[in-house]
Amino acid sequence: MAEGKAEAEPVIIGGMVLDIQATSSIPPHPRSTCPGKVYYVLGGVARNIAECMWKLGAKPFMISAVGFDVAGKLLLEHWESTKLSTEGIRKHQDIKTATVCHILDVGGEVAAGVASLDSIERYLTPQWIQQFRPNIHSAPVLMVDANLSLPALEAACQMAVDSNVPVWFEPVSIAKSKRIATIAKYVTFTSPNEDELIAMANALSSEDVFHPIEKKMYSRDALLHLLKPPILVLLEKGIKIVVLTLGSDGVFLCFKGEPNILRIGQGKIKSSAFSRKLFESMTSSSPPDWYSSGTIHDGISNFLVVHFPALPASVVRLTGAGDCLVGGTLASICIGLDLMQSIAVGIAAAKAAVEAESNVPSQFNLDSIAEWRHEPFVTSEAQWNQDDPIIKSVGDARTVYHTARVLSSPSKL
């Protein structure tokens, strides 16, 4: 058990899951099988995020639960191969390891799926998590996924807040995202997609005042105009920063207050050679105050938004992209990068993920840092009017593309 003063490591709590991913090679027919491929992939939102962080030079402390069945053995064997601690992973013969079956369409998107995750709620109890209080208290950040039960979520978040440790809440799904209602006051960051955002805002409003939006029907500016009310609900309920993921449309980084809130780089963890090079590359390619110069707010609610576009990618599968976005961002925060720089790393990690067969790429590549590290950072003109919040686009920002070159190499994925 964890006792005394623990090493400063990011703590990740949530599911370790075996994903069974089936991809049809033709449009599927109801009530019939079709040709395609079936893969067994190591998954789970929390596990994916933790693996991504590890491959970017962080050393996450994982708290989860697995059984001694086939799925559990596969997950545990891989985790042991990383040389990361397995102390926080609850192991018991009565645990039926969490498993998800995904049906993917020909484009790599999830068309349907069935999740068997009861063991996460049943065995990741507040009592189990409590044993690792020293790890949470010394962590640069705590990430919890919504697979946890409400008591476990609240217990973990309370431990973090007691020591001023920032909390990242990953919503996982539309249904489970509603668990934000009991912990919003503890949460520093959350990373919903637009459907999860709507569900979270409704849960925090105690009524269904917001309705799903088909984002493909709207321009970027029009989409933000429609999503501003539910975003504001989350911010007004205590969440400091909303990282709204939009798939191929990128990310909206949303917050209220002064841009100084983005200077949250922790820099508490022991740096690896990989993370030191990443830090040096990012800090040399963007000046310290680049993200605050010229920032404008809407003048009423002090609501600010930065848009990060997705990077062009040759899509293989999309199931790990969001998790690697979060993993890349968290790993970068832990080594001392600010939030804008960290999200740029996350976007590059997501690009690498969609081009890989697994949820997390086999490795990230830093070979080209020396060539790109001195490239200047450029932003496009801010677009703003009195009715809508700022959209400060980094569509042409070299840091985003520089980071993609640094982290992804098709020959090594």
Side-chain angles (χ1 to χ4, degrees), residues 66-73 76 91-97:
V66 297
F68 295 139
D69 48 17
V70 172
K73 289 178 180 178
L76 194 58
K91 302 168 278 287
H92 196 277
Q93 62 184 8
D94 292 339
I95 299 176
K96 183 176 181 181
T97 303

Side-chain angles (χ1 to χ4, degrees), residues 92-110:
H92 196 277
Q93 62 184 8
D94 292 339
I95 299 176
K96 183 176 181 181
T97 303
T99 307
V100 174
C101 180
H102 285 132
I103 308 298
L104 308 180
D105 61 25
V106 292
E109 292 265 19
V110 176

Side-chain angles (χ1 to χ4, degrees), residues 89-223:
I89 302 173
R90 190 172 187 180
K91 302 168 278 287
H92 196 277
Q93 62 184 8
D94 292 339
I95 299 176
K96 183 176 181 181
T97 303
T99 307
V100 174
C101 180
H102 285 132
I103 308 298
L104 308 180
D105 61 25
V106 292
E109 292 265 19
V110 176
V114 176
S116 175
L117 302 174
D118 294 346
S119 60
I120 303 300
E121 290 193 35
R122 183 175 177 185
Y123 290 97
L124 277 187
T125 61
Q127 293 76 22
W128 178 259
I129 296 169
Q130 180 73 32
Q131 298 174 75
F132 307 101
R133 177 184 291 270
N135 301 81
I136 294 174
H137 281 187
S138 63
V141 67
L142 168 69
M143 198 293 301
V144 292
D145 78 24
N147 287 311
L148 297 175
S149 67
L150 291 176
L153 281 170
E154 187 157 10
C157 291
Q158 183 65 65
M159 280 183 257
V161 170
D162 287 346
S163 296
N164 297 314
V165 174
V167 175
W168 188 299
F169 174 76
E170 220 306 313
V172 175
S173 68
I174 294 172
K176 291 183 177 180
S177 69
K178 299 174 185 178
R179 297 179 180 181
I180 190 66
T182 61
I183 61 167
K185 62 184 178 182
Y186 303 122
V187 173
T188 310
F189 318 88
T190 188
S191 44
N193 61 28
E194 68 275 10
D195 293 326
E196 292 161 349
L197 170 70
I198 296 296
M200 292 165 73
N202 283 334
L204 289 167
S205 303
S206 301
E207 54 183 326
D208 292 338
V209 295
F210 304 107
H211 304 287
I213 294 170
E214 180 52 63
K215 69 179 181 183
K216 294 181 181 179
M217 296 175 58
Y218 301 98
S219 67
R220 181 195 64 183
D221 294 8
L223 181 63

